[in-house]
Structure formats: structure tokens, C-alpha cells
Amino acid sequence: MNQKANREFLKELSKEIGKESLEKWLSRVLVREDDNQQVVLSTPNQFTLDWIKRNYQTQLLKAAKTVWGTKTRLQLEVNPELPTETGDALDPSSQPSARRPAPSPSHPTLNGNYTFDNFVVGPSNQFAHAACKAVAERKARNYNPLFIYGGVGLGKTHLLNAVGNELIKRGPKLKILCLQAESFMNDMIRAIRGEQIDKFRNLYRRDCDVILMDDIEILAGKERTQEEFFYTFNELHNAGKKIIITSDKFPKEMTTLEERLRSRFESGIIVDIQPPEFETRIAILKRKAENEGLKIPDEVITHLAEKIRTNVRKLEGALIRLSALSSLSGSPLNIELADQVVSALLTDGEERLSAEMVMKTVASFYKIKVSDLKSPKRNRKFALPRQIAMHLCRELCHLSYPEIGASFGGRDHSTVIHSCRKIGVGKNTDLELNKHLETIKRQLGA
Ligand code: ADP
Ligand code: MG
């Protein structure tokens, strides 16, 4: 990429977002151009990538189009070899060449790297995987919409794209639109402002056979967007078009979701992805190492899988960072080095015990399902484990009562308070209950 274009790009960008933000967020980003009119921005870590994506994507694209032409597309990727300290990182001559190639642009809105082939299946994600496969192979017409629900970094976006990639492979003429719910919203706002709402509606309602919408939780509280999406949804659904939605929240937990939209989401099939079990974490790490051509000793893999439990993205990040660190510094790839990487990755407290982990452990202890804990079922078989799980969410995860209520299928905070008190008192008088609590806590590593 030529330096002049690069400088132009920065100038354009600073008009859009201001010098200070440019310094803060983009000084550590590497820009290069690949052969398909694609501008690739590499960021040192996922956090920066997410931040840039969330906040500056439109501006970046606008600036890139001004400099490289209107057909330019933008790609963001993580390159852990980039320095994380501020430096002259935008100057490509001062950078190591970006290590990994950009995903092949086989489809404008799909990520070609996310396929069923490289998705590791385990007990935590097998239902979601099976449902996605069925939809991709067009075996399940009534799975519409397919609602995939699960915590951050557990493979929702991966599966969503895998369905798209498989559908395209089987029917190359299929019009597939894969997008973030946020983009839908931004497009809509822009269309309203520019009085182009008809064009917008045509794009979403008529010009697509399959809509894959990622991170729908962002629509919570956005009434106008929900309304538009509701009509889009109905029109597509009535025409028999496929709809797949992902969310990090269960429909019932999205408290400011319009009821009619919620019932639409619940009208197809809802599948969840849980944090992967130890064995699945090992399998994911091994697969990833193999794909990236990394040689990592088994005990280091095991160590990473023990330490990073709730986020596959972090698991992968640790692996890449570890191997980069070892090759850059010449240190042996061992457990000590792994520990350094892990502690740097986990400082933001994300690995704290989550409500999901508590629910999962409690459910498996009582041999019921996590969905039973979230369901309205009130018989004792479910009610007691639910109260215990709520109590532990309070004690171990320090969540607020309304937060706990939301995690348990949208229950009222007064119900949560009642449950926490009941268990709090009960554990001092009921020996068996106390023993159960201790065992579950041990299983949670608390
Ligand atoms: P989410 O959308 O749920 O936040 P992603 O789909 O972005 O999570 O997944 C985060 C990263 O972890 C991606 O790089 C994805 O490929 C990887 N990943 C998640 N689950 C799996 C899995 N079961 N097998 C292989 N890779 C996975
Ligand atoms: Mg995602």
C-alpha cells in the first residue's frame, strides 16, 4: 500500500472522528490493501477491534472509499503481533507484515473462515450445531426462525456464518444477507434521514432469501428499529424465507423487547450454546493449533484449557499470543509463559464466575436442565435447585437481584430476594442443603 494513500486515509479519518480518537484507537492499527479492493485493518487485540467496529466502522469505510474508491470494502482482523503500545503503527513500513491472510471474499457478507468443518462439537454446543446443520441442509423447514442464544465468544457468529457458507455452497444463487443487528439499525436510521426507507425495505424484505442477523440483543429498547424489524421479519417469514438470529440473551431476558417480537422469536426453535467443557476446550485448542500450524506441548494446551473456561475467543487468543510471544522472544513454549499470557488476558475479570456457570453446575448436580432453571415450572424438583442457583449467583457472582431475575427467565427481583433469603437461612438449619451447597461450590472452584 502506498504511503501517500495511507496518509490521505488518516487525514480523511481525522476529519470524521477527530484527532484525539484517532490517536487513541487507531494509532495501533495497521492498514494494508489486499488484491480485491479490500482494505484490511489489523488491530493488536480483539478489544480494540470490537471497539473500532462498534464505534468507527462507518467513518472508516467512508474514509477508505474516499481514498481508494467507492467499491472498497473494509476488513478488520486481529494480529496479536502488533505492538499494543502507541507507536507509529499506521505506517506500514514500521510494521511486521500481517501474518494471517484475510478470509477469502467468497461472499460479501459472510466470513468464509467460519465453517462447520472447523467447528468443534461437544456437549455444550451440540444442539445448536445440529439445528444449524439441519437448517443449512434444508432439512428443517419449521426451524424458522432459528434463534441461537449463548454467552460472548462461544461460537454464535461462527455457526451463523457456517450456515450461510453451507447454503451458498449448495445453492450459489441464493441471496444471503448476514449482518449485525446494529448495521440493520444504522441502515434504517440513515434511510429514514435520507428519505430512502423504500429502498431499505426492498433490500431487506425482497432482495434476500436468507437473513442471518447477529447480536439481536442490541435491539432491546430501540423501539423504532424493533418495529421495522418486526415488519421485515413478518414479510420474510410469510414468504417462507429463512431467518436465523443470534443473541447473547434469551428472548425472555430481553426486558425491553416488544412482546410481539418476542413471541415471533419464540415461534421457531431456540437453541443455546453453553461454555465448553474441559474436553471440548482441549479439542478446540488442538484444532486451532493444527490449523495455524503451531506446535504446542500437550501440557501447555491442558494448562490453557484449565485456566480459560468461559470464552472460546479468549482461548484461541491465548494460543496465538502464546506462540507469537515465544517466537518473538525466543522463550520456550512452556507453562510459565502460558501463565503470563493467561493472566494478561484475564485481568478484565471476564473469567469471574458467571450466572451461566452457576446454573450449569447446579443443573448438572440435580440432573435437570439449565432451561428448567429458567422456566416457569414450579414443582419442588426445579424450584429448590433454582433457589440454590439464585443464592449462589448472589454470593459468588455478586450480581444484583434484578440481574439475577433476568438470568432466570425474567423473574421479578422480589422472587430472587425471597429465594436468596430462604437458602441463606436454610443452609444453617438444613444439613443436607448445606452439604449440597458445599459440593456445588467446590465444583465451581469457589
Ligand atoms: P460469539 O459470536 O458467540 O461471541 P464467535 O462465533 O465469534 O463467538 O466465536 C469466537 C471465536 O471462537 C471464533 O474465532 C470462533 O471461530 C471460535 N469458536 C467458538 N466456538 C468454537 C468451536 N466450537 N469450535 C471451533 N472454534 C470455535
Ligand atoms: Mg458474535
Side-chain angles (χ1 to χ4, degrees):
M1 169 177 293
N2 79 47
Q3 300 264 359
K4 188 159 160 275
N6 203 5
R7 269 199 302 275
E8 279 293 330
F9 178 60
L10 288 183
K11 222 169 89 195
E12 282 302 316
L13 204 53
S14 96
K15 279 192 221 154
E16 296 284 328
I17 71 173
K19 249 201 152 94
E20 213 179 298
S21 310
L22 188 75
E23 276 292 332
K24 184 161 173 13
W25 290 106
L26 290 147
S27 60
R28 282 168 272 160
V29 165
L30 167 70
V31 190
R32 66 184 163 82
E33 211 179 353
D34 77 0
D35 31 10
N36 284 307
Q37 284 194 301
Q38 181 157 260
V39 172
V40 184
L41 300 191
S42 309
T43 64
N45 51 43
Q46 189 67 39
F47 176 74
T48 310
L49 187 146
D50 289 342
W51 181 272
I52 291 174
K53 205 159 161 185
R54 191 160 305 147
N55 296 286
Y56 302 127
Q57 181 143 330
T58 328
Q59 292 91 330
L60 282 167
L61 193 60
K62 190 167 166 216
K65 286 187 169 173
T66 311
V67 177
W68 288 287
T70 51
K71 289 215 179 104
T72 305
R73 279 168 307 126
L74 204 61
Q75 167 85 33
L76 289 169
E77 64 172 22
V78 176
N79 181 349
E81 281 173 30
L82 291 179
T84 44
E85 292 313 311
T86 311
D88 196 11
L90 273 160
D91 176 1
S93 59
S94 75
Q95 287 299 320
S97 64
R99 195 170 48 86
R100 269 180 295 168
S104 71
S106 55
H107 181 276
T109 64
L110 288 170
N111 182 335
N113 286 341
Y114 291 158
T115 61
F116 285 118
D117 277 349
N118 57 22
F119 189 80
V120 175
V121 185
S124 55
N125 59 30
Q126 64 185 8
F127 290 117
H129 175 263
C132 287
K133 267 247 122 111
V135 169
E137 291 166 3
R138 313 201 119 205
K139 285 182 184 149
R141 293 202 179 277
N142 52 343
Y143 289 2
N144 206 22
L146 169 60
F147 191 100
I148 309 170
Y149 140 78
V152 176
L154 296 183
K156 299 181 297 294
T157 300
H158 189 135
L159 278 179
L160 191 72
N161 281 274
V163 174
N165 287 317
E166 184 66 30
L167 283 170
I168 269 291
K169 208 163 91 190
R170 291 163 180 256
K173 292 224 176 78
L174 215 55
K175 284 182 275 182
I176 298 182
L177 193 58
C178 179
L179 79 166
Q180 295 278 321
E182 192 174 13
S183 311
F184 178 86
M185 184 174 77
N186 292 338
D187 275 5
M188 186 194 79
I189 295 171
R190 222 172 292 124
I192 294 174
R193 264 205 223 124
E195 292 179 355
Q196 292 195 313
I197 196 78
D198 290 338
K199 213 165 124 195
F200 169 81
R201 287 183 178 149
N202 275 338
L203 169 68
Y204 284 101
R205 298 189 194 171
R206 309 235 161 73
D207 296 344
C208 99
D209 303 317
V210 179
I211 189 158
L212 308 173
M213 195 168 290
D214 211 359
D215 298 325
I216 196 97
E217 70 276 353
I218 188 128
L219 297 194
K222 317 268 171 33
E223 287 149 30
R224 179 72 179 83
T225 317
Q226 283 185 26
E227 190 185 348
E228 191 64 39
F229 184 66
F230 178 76
Y231 291 119
T232 306
F233 183 103
N234 280 349
E235 199 159 321
L236 292 170
H237 198 257
N238 291 341
K241 310 277 176 80
K242 274 267 156 267
I243 305 163
I244 309 183
I245 292 163
T246 76
S247 170
D248 67 2
K249 294 204 173 58
F250 203 62
K252 278 208 174 56
E253 286 170 35
M254 295 163 71
T255 41
T256 52
L257 191 69
E258 260 193 271
E259 197 47 47
R260 56 180 181 173
L261 201 51
R262 190 197 320 270
S263 70
R264 282 288 184 276
F265 289 167
E266 290 170 350
S267 68
I269 179 171
I270 301 182
V271 289
D272 70 341
I273 309 186
Q274 294 292 324
E277 299 72 18
F278 178 68
E279 294 79 2
T280 312
R281 300 201 293 275
I282 298 262
I284 291 173
L285 285 169
K286 290 203 161 153
R287 176 78 65 88
K288 185 81 186 169
E290 197 183 296
N291 288 349
E292 301 275 327
L294 306 173
K295 288 217 161 47
I296 318 260
D298 276 354
E299 73 265 17
V300 173
I301 296 252
T302 308
H303 190 71
L304 290 177
E306 273 165 0
K307 293 282 174 182
I308 303 178
R309 291 170 304 191
T310 59
N311 185 328
V312 179
R313 186 175 297 131
K314 289 209 164 171
L315 206 57
E316 289 187 349
L319 194 74
I320 303 291
R321 206 178 282 199
L322 181 60
S323 89
L325 197 63
S326 154
S327 73
L328 289 175
S329 66
S331 332
L333 226 161
N334 55 21
I335 294 193
E336 285 75 61
L337 199 65
D339 261 337
Q340 277 180 34
V341 169
V342 169
S343 62
L345 264 173
L346 297 183
T347 44
D348 57 5
E350 241 185 69
E351 202 61 6
R352 271 189 344 215
L353 227 41
S354 68
E356 284 297 329
M357 284 168 68
V358 170
M359 283 192 247
K360 201 175 159 193
T361 310
V362 172
S364 88
F365 182 83
Y366 287 104
K367 304 201 167 45
I368 59 176
K369 290 192 267 170
V370 170
S371 57
D372 294 327
L373 293 175
K374 297 181 181 181
S375 77
K377 297 176 197 163
R378 291 166 73 160
N379 42 337
R380 197 174 151 77
K381 181 168 177 236
F382 306 119
L384 182 69
R386 186 180 298 128
Q387 289 170 339
I388 289 180
M390 286 180 173
H391 171 82
L392 290 174
C393 280
R394 183 74 188 161
E395 186 187 323
L396 303 177
C397 318
H398 311 291
L399 295 173
S400 70
Y401 294 121
E403 278 170 340
I404 298 174
S407 305
F408 285 78
R411 286 184 152 74
D412 192 70
H413 73 282
S414 59
T415 313
V416 182
I417 295 177
H418 171 75
S419 304
C420 292
R421 290 225 178 105
K422 190 167 160 221
I423 301 299
V425 173
K427 70 179 177 190
N428 298 322
T429 52
D430 183 338
L431 270 184
E432 193 185 59
L433 175 64
N434 195 23
K435 220 165 76 197
H436 286 190
L437 277 171
E438 289 308 315
T439 312
I440 294 167
K441 280 201 217 169
R442 216 174 319 117
Q443 288 176 359
L444 280 165

